[in-house]
Amino acid sequence: QQPVQSPQAVILREGEDAVINCSSSKALYSVHWYRQKHGEAPVFLMILLKGGEQKGHEKISASFNEKKQQSSLYLTASQLSYSGTYFCGTEIIQGAQKLVFGQGTRLTINP
Amino acid sequence: GAVVSQHPSWVICKSGTSVKIECRSLDFQATTMFWYRQFPKQSLMLMATSNEGSKATYEQGVEKDKFLINHASLTLSTLTVTSAHPEDSSFYICSARDPARETQYFGPGTRLLVL
């Protein structure tokens, strides 16, 4: 079943922060985050595995709450290059390998 | 990061012809590859899972006789759209799973336009 992402779209000014949420109705083994720019293929950002971890780089990080079956992607001090559509992909069973993607969150960063 | 190539990037063909799309993992061996279809402003729709040396597993509603998938080696999977029609026009994207990182890396995609 497709995970639900929120919000569907967000518009920010450069330097502002954003949070994108991904919720599943099923227990998750892993959550994968991707960013897709217009006309291009999705680019891998990070993976979070079962265990409730949080990881990421300096300004882009994510958390995974296993009990709540949800993950959040945090973008701080956003840059123009962060614009694009963000997708979460969920893996329900360890080893199932295939990902079910949310509907996407369109992020627009204005100068 | 891992690199996945896809060829061709653009295809324009006449209705009724067949189109073959190649997907290669360039710097890792992928026992599993995936084929997705994406319509404008929509999410990634998984079409099938391609396993090296075995038959592909198709998602519900995807015609296996129309979308032929072959995974001949650990670095190559192909998708053939047979007897293409205008409604098959779409953005087709492959991904390859890197078992060491437990994640998928996407190819650049193929835009198919059937006239």
Side-chain angles (χ1 to χ4, degrees), chain A residues 1-5 22 24 28 30-32 87-92 97-103, chain B residues 36 43-44 46 59 104:
Chain A
Q1 197 155 356
Q2 186 179 38
V4 177
Q5 287 184 233
C22 174
S24 173
L28 301 174
S30 66
V31 179
H32 306 232
F87 291 98
C88 66
T90 55
E91 184 180 9
I92 296 173
Q97 299 187 10
K98 75 174 186 179
L99 299 178
V100 180
F101 285 90
Q103 80 278 21
Chain B
Y36 295 85
S43 187
L44 300 150
L46 179 65
E59 294 299 302
Q104 297 180 29

Side-chain angles (χ1 to χ4, degrees), chain B residues 2 4 65 92 105 107 112:
Chain B
V4 177
D65 294 331
Y92 292 87
Y105 296 93
L112 172 63

